[in-house]
Amino acid sequence: MTASERNSSGRVANAAETACAHQVAIDRLREALNGVLIGKSDTVEMVLACLLARGHLLFDDLPGLGKTTLAKAIAVAVGGAFARVQCTPDLLPSDITGFNVFNQKTREFEFREGPVFSDVLLADEINRATPRTQSALFEAMAERQVTIDRLTYRLSESFFVIATQNPVESHGAYPLPEAQLDRFAMKLRIGYPDAASELQMLAAQVAGLDRVGGQVREAVIDPEQLRKLQQHVTQMPVSRVVQEYLVALAQATRQHREVMLGLSPRGLITWQRVAQARAHLQGRDFVLPDDVQHVARPVLEVRLAGNFDGALQVVDEIVQSVPVPVSDTNRRGPRNE
Amino acid sequence: MTTGEFTEDGQPAGVRWAPDRASQPSAEYGTLLLAVLAMATLTAARSASYPHGMILLAQSGLALSVPLAFLWLRRRHPALAGEERYLALLVPVWCILPWGLEAILRSWGIGEAHELLMLVSLQHGALILGVFPQRRRCQQVSALLGGFLVLFAVVIEARPLVFLLAGLHGVWLLWWLMARYWERLQDARSAIQVTSCLPVRWSIWGGTVLATLLVASVFGASGGATYVLRGMMPASGGERWYDPFARAGVGDGDAMVAAREDAMSFGPVESELFLESQMPTLYDMFNELYGEPLRPQEKQERAVNLMGETIRYPDQRVAETRQSGREFSTLRRRVRRRNRVLDDRDSPAMLYAVGEVPSHLGLETFDMFDGVTWSSTPRGNVLPALTERIEGERCWFYFRQPGRSPIERDSRTHALKVINLKTNRVPAPPYLTAVHIDRLDQADFWGWTDDGMPAMVAREQIPQLTVLHVRSRQWNLQELRETDFTRSWSRASSDGWGGESSSDGFPHAYLQVPLGLRPRLEDWSEAWTRGVPRGWRQVEAVVRRLRQDFRREAEPVGVEAGDVVQHFLKRGSGPEYAFATTAALMLRQLGYPTRLVAGFYARGERYDRMAGQTSVLAEDAHVWVEVGVDAGTWVTIEPSPGYRAPREALGWRQRVAEWGRAGLRAAAGHPWQILGALCLLIAVWRSRLRWMDAVARGGWWLAGRFGTERRLRATIRLLEWRCRRSGQARPPHVTLSQWYATLAGSLPPETSHAVQCFLRQSERLLYCPRQPPRTPGEASAVALACCEVVRGLNLSCLRESLPLPDGVGTGSDRPTRMPPNTQ
């Protein structure tokens, strides 16, 4: 065996070991979250994809469906610092980012870090905060830093915002601005559990358990592992045809008659990253059009704005209007048969 | 040969090659040597007719170069034994190469006949297949092609060298066959049962055989395509196509027609042999065909003695006009035919014609009829002058200027080779406009005869073997049918007709009817044209009645008949000249000028497909009628049944109607063949998907020879095509895995597993930018999966599967991919 062959086989072996380690970490994470949220494995998959894509998550659902529980479980499972902000109309930006306090002893101002200085931030009922307060998260979510009194503070590399909002109660609520929505990677709904899962929950309550599968009491991966996972996902190759497919879809969002605000370039990048994460969760090292389509609804729903009631229907129309690149036949355009 | 089919033990034939391979390497040079011997034999045969020996040698060297290069490459680089992958590409390219070289050589004026070129192509194929002895099929095909080449070479050339080489080839072929036989006996693997699996079905083989039988029965039983397709297309395959390198046919071969070298000498045709031979004239032919003219017995009358200067001395040569004054008697008697087989004649043909047939070739016209005999009135002084025009490198002499008549349409050209015809008149198709003979550029050779026919007036006869190119015009008679064309005659100049004119401007001769015939003709003509508007429709009505109500027979009208027209009308049958005479006189009675034309009728039945020409024999002498529609414009009509009038240049509507009529005629003439063809067409149409699928599978199989990636892509294309054809077309926005994974749900487990494997590999091929090289095991697995998928997801399977809902590919409608509660 020559030296180059030895190096090549060594690289292959290292890559296999890394992939194996990543898969183990993901499986542990998946198992922990599925133990908390019963019967919602697909939602868990989306949450994991969002986490690996370094995106932020917006839960748009009714109260009592497990949003906060899931957010806390994520925070514990990834082994980072968890912070929770209950958004109310009187919440100030400094309550989120932090503020300077004058120390009488040292006769100097000291910076008191806000909840953003954590690994997982749960912004509960985010639409109840005023737009001014909501805007305090712009810089933190987009650039993972905050600037206070001309001083910039870096946040955690794995900073992850999980926001929730109640779609039903609009009294005293402030809709999230488009700029804020564009900083979320996806919007998810958990939905009601099925009957079997609810029976399982009731039985667990009688038995005295807090949750059926128990709470996530300790971290299953550490922040360093999470950063490696995220880095690995970011570096996953995407073929030219899939990128062209993504661009065609993005252009379709901008050309749709009912969409006033199409997909932004930032949104397009986020979409590709979420598709990469989804491919990784499926155990692949390349992205398929299936991945792009699979995450299209949560990714597009959060950021498409226009005169429509059913955003999901618009997303479906957009996806259906763009042919999937398959072999050479699609270069001639779709066939009408 | 292997394809995506499977052998009996379940293995894909496309993967396992071993049973097709020759077991012994000893055949490596044996097959090639066989092909080389065949090449040598063919080259020896070609060299007899190919004057460029060096070029022949160079071609042979080139033919050997690539096979030898392959042998050398294999010896130097044994690892390149897998070059047979390119066999499918190499063989066609190498076989087509001679045609490309021929195109280059022809641009230099050097070339060969097409049939020899085809042999050279086969020779290349035999040589290149001989380089792949490890494939038993290649050996067999190479030996077969070599044998065919040798057989053909022996047939086309009888030279000692050719026989010697053919004998050597035969001896070596015998040894080769024995060697192959013993090899197969010794080859243990030959006992393995291998399913021969060409990518076709029995239905296709059966359909092909049926189609071949049908075509053979239609074309073979009915005497050729010309006869079967009469009316659908020009009956002659001539149509101006000319190949200077052809080995037979009219106008080919410089040595055949010496006029090419010296237009004034006409080469061998003026040899003593020909001058002394007794060649028939047109009248000899009429005599042979219709019998001799009846001459009334001259009675001895009383006479008075004349003065000496009026006495005609018997030894004094009496001036005789050769140009006119010939007569055509309509009363004849049957005689025993003389000279049915003329001596010293190589060919019984008067002419050879290349161009559209059937066609009338007129030689002589008659305008005066005295009740028994047709004669012509000299009117050469009013005929137009000749003009000379150079077109390309050819000098054409125009007897008429094109475009004079409003009924003129497309021009057409015939090539006529004079064989045994002894006359200086040009056999003229209707409405002849121009004549050309190669290298003849002197206008004083040509002129008009007194009866208005073009002729080579400078000579007494057109030399034998001369090739005449005659250009004529077709016409469209629609305008004549819509208006009364005789109205304009009084204004027209009578000069165009020639001779004295009537008060209406018509020449007397063309309207003259014998007085005794007028009452009867008047009755008949009025009865036949009652209710028909005056003009060409009346002409057509008369011709139609003659063709429908009267019968043609060979028996001539004898002296006992007295009046030929009356006899014909009474009896209801007669020879062609009776038809022509009656038609001409009846039309004259109606006021249309006519003239009788004698000449030849070139029959489509005599078209020789091999030579590409139509023979015109003495039996084809014919008489017909022309109607004057304009000053100098004569339109041919054909009153005799069994003969076709010259084809009219039709507009598209008329053409469609004509096609329809021709189709009906063909259907009536060949009902069983048409029925068989319809059944075959229906069968082909009903099984069209199978045919198309077989062709698509052939393409898929061929693509699979070029590697795993091409195999995968071809499989994707084939499945996409099948989905479309079975009405289950994949919507453009649905991905491959979504589509086929759902379809595979109803398949057997092993097929379903193969579909999953195929999808994984296809997705990796299409969307993975970094593809690691496949191991042989992976490639084999992919080939297996592709074969299984192509076999499992066939057209019937796809047709039976239910269509997917419209929302496939958009999220919530995909139960296995995105649950509804995600959103």
Side-chain angles (χ1 to χ4, degrees), chain A residues 39-40 42 46 188-190 237-239 241-242 285-290 293-294 297-298 301 312 316 319-320 322-327 329-330 334-335 337, chain B residues 713 716-717 720 724-725 729-730 732-738 760 763-764 766-770 806-814 817-819 821-823:
Chain A
K40 296 293 177 186
D42 292 295
M46 283 293 175
L188 289 178
R189 294 188 183 90
I190 295 177
V238 183
S239 71
V241 287
V242 175
D285 57 353
F286 58 95
V287 180
L288 292 178
D290 296 78
Q293 288 188 358
H294 195 81
R297 280 184 165 191
E301 191 190 2
L312 294 181
D316 288 350
V319 171
Q320 287 180 6
V322 179
V324 174
V326 176
S327 186
T329 54
N330 282 89
R335 293 174 65 96
E337 297 208 16
Chain B
R713 286 184 192 277
I716 294 170
R717 281 197 298 271
E720 295 272 284
R724 282 200 300 274
R725 288 294 148 206
R730 180 182 63 82
H733 63 277
V734 176
T735 62
L736 282 180
S737 56
Q738 289 165 6
R760 278 198 302 275
E763 287 173 344
R764 178 167 289 279
L766 293 173
Y767 305 118
C768 182
R770 297 177 198 160
D806 293 338
V808 165
T810 56
S812 63
D813 293 316
R814 293 167 301 167
R817 303 223 169 237
M818 181 182 279
N821 59 358
T822 302
Q823 295 293 300

Side-chain angles (χ1 to χ4, degrees), chain A residues 26-41 43-49 51 69-78 160 162 213-214 216 220:
Chain A
I26 287 171
D27 285 345
R28 284 207 302 265
L29 206 51
R30 185 182 281 139
E31 187 182 358
L33 297 183
N34 277 324
V36 172
L37 202 63
I38 302 299
K40 296 293 177 186
S41 58
T43 307
V44 169
E45 287 296 309
M46 283 293 175
V47 170
L48 287 176
L51 182 66
T69 307
L70 180 60
K72 286 169 67 177
I74 293 169
V76 175
V78 298
F160 181 43
I162 302 175
V216 179
V220 293

Side-chain angles (χ1 to χ4, degrees), chain B residues 755-819:
Chain B
V755 170
Q756 297 296 338
C757 173
F758 158 72
L759 284 175
R760 278 198 302 275
Q761 295 295 333
S762 299
E763 287 173 344
R764 178 167 289 279
L765 170 71
L766 293 173
Y767 305 118
C768 182
R770 297 177 198 160
Q771 298 196 35
R774 287 187 176 82
T775 61
E778 286 174 342
S780 176
V782 170
L784 272 171
C786 287
C787 289
E788 181 65 26
V789 166
V790 167
R791 192 183 62 81
L793 283 176
N794 52 28
L795 283 170
S796 57
C797 165
L798 289 170
R799 268 198 296 267
E800 287 166 7
S801 61
L802 294 173
L804 292 181
D806 293 338
V808 165
T810 56
S812 63
D813 293 316
R814 293 167 301 167
T816 59
R817 303 223 169 237
M818 181 182 279

Side-chain angles (χ1 to χ4, degrees), chain B residues 219-268:
Chain B
F219 285 75
S222 56
T226 314
Y227 184 65
V228 172
L229 304 176
R230 185 169 58 191
M232 302 286 284
M233 53 194 300
S236 162
E239 283 302 319
R240 289 173 252 168
W241 189 82
Y242 168 71
D243 181 10
F245 302 106
R247 298 163 72 232
V250 167
D252 55 80
D254 293 346
M256 291 297 291
V257 182
R260 287 175 179 278
E261 302 301 329
D262 184 359
M264 298 302 290
S265 74
F266 292 100

Side-chain angles (χ1 to χ4, degrees), chain B residues 30 42 54 56 93 110 149 184 220 255 269 278 354 394 419 448 473 478 500 513 549 585 625 677 698 723 760 763 809:
Chain B
L42 180 65
M54 291 307 293
L56 205 59
V93 169
I110 306 168
L149 292 176
R184 288 192 71 118
V269 299
Q278 296 294 319
V354 174
R394 295 185 167 190
I419 304 296
W448 294 97
R473 288 261 168 178
Q478 195 60 30
E500 295 180 0
V513 178
D549 298 349
L585 296 180
V625 180
C723 284
R760 278 198 302 275
E763 287 173 344

Side-chain angles (χ1 to χ4, degrees), chain B residues 446-668:
Chain B
W446 303 104
W448 294 97
T449 60
D450 284 343
D451 58 338
M453 297 301 284
M456 188 181 272
V457 293
R459 303 181 58 88
E460 291 191 353
Q461 64 184 58
I462 300 174
Q464 215 175 6
L465 302 182
T466 302
V467 177
L468 289 161
H469 296 269
V470 291
R471 186 175 287 171
S472 57
R473 288 261 168 178
Q474 290 179 297
W475 48 61
N476 187 299
L477 304 174
Q478 195 60 30
E479 194 175 320
L480 298 181
R481 291 189 186 99
E482 291 168 356
T483 58
D484 180 7
F485 60 90
T486 59
R487 285 184 182 174
S488 58
W489 286 353
S490 57
R491 295 188 298 274
S493 166
S494 62
D495 291 344
W497 298 104
E500 295 180 0
S501 299
S502 68
S503 57
D504 292 335
F506 307 152
H508 282 299
Y510 296 130
L511 290 167
Q512 171 262 341
V513 178
L515 284 175
L517 287 173
R518 282 190 179 174
R520 191 162 180 79
L521 281 175
E522 195 171 353
D523 294 343
W524 282 80
S525 60
E526 278 185 10
W528 286 5
T529 58
R530 188 168 296 134
V532 181
R534 184 164 175 74
W536 193 257
R537 291 189 188 280
Q538 283 193 344
V539 177
E540 287 179 327
V542 171
V543 171
R544 193 162 48 245
R545 288 298 293 265
L546 281 169
R547 291 175 70 96
Q548 287 176 356
D549 298 349
F550 292 82
R551 190 163 45 83
R552 183 167 61 88
E553 63 178 14
E555 190 62 29
V557 181
V559 65
E560 68 281 0
D563 176 4
V564 64
V565 175
Q566 204 160 349
H567 175 78
F568 173 73
L569 291 175
K570 185 178 175 183
R571 189 175 172 183
S573 63
E576 295 103 68
Y577 63 82
F579 278 88
T581 303
T582 307
L585 296 180
M586 202 166 278
L587 291 174
R588 286 184 179 188
Q589 182 63 37
L590 289 168
Y592 303 103
T594 58
R595 66 180 184 183
L596 200 77
V597 184
F600 291 104
Y601 179 80
R603 297 172 186 273
E605 290 83 350
R606 298 203 198 284
Y607 176 65
D608 184 352
R609 274 172 288 180
M610 297 296 290
Q613 63 194 21
T614 306
S615 303
V616 181
L617 309 182
E619 298 92 271
D620 296 327
H622 183 48
V623 181
W624 63 93
V625 180
E626 288 184 343
V627 180
V629 297
D630 192 0
T633 304
W634 293 91
V635 176
T636 300
I637 60 172
E638 182 50 79
S640 304
Y643 293 87
R644 289 189 63 209
R647 197 160 62 92
E648 197 177 337
L650 302 175
W652 68 269
R653 286 181 186 168
Q654 295 169 300
R655 197 176 294 275
V656 169
E658 181 71 19
W659 285 346
R661 282 194 291 273
L664 287 176
R665 273 202 305 273

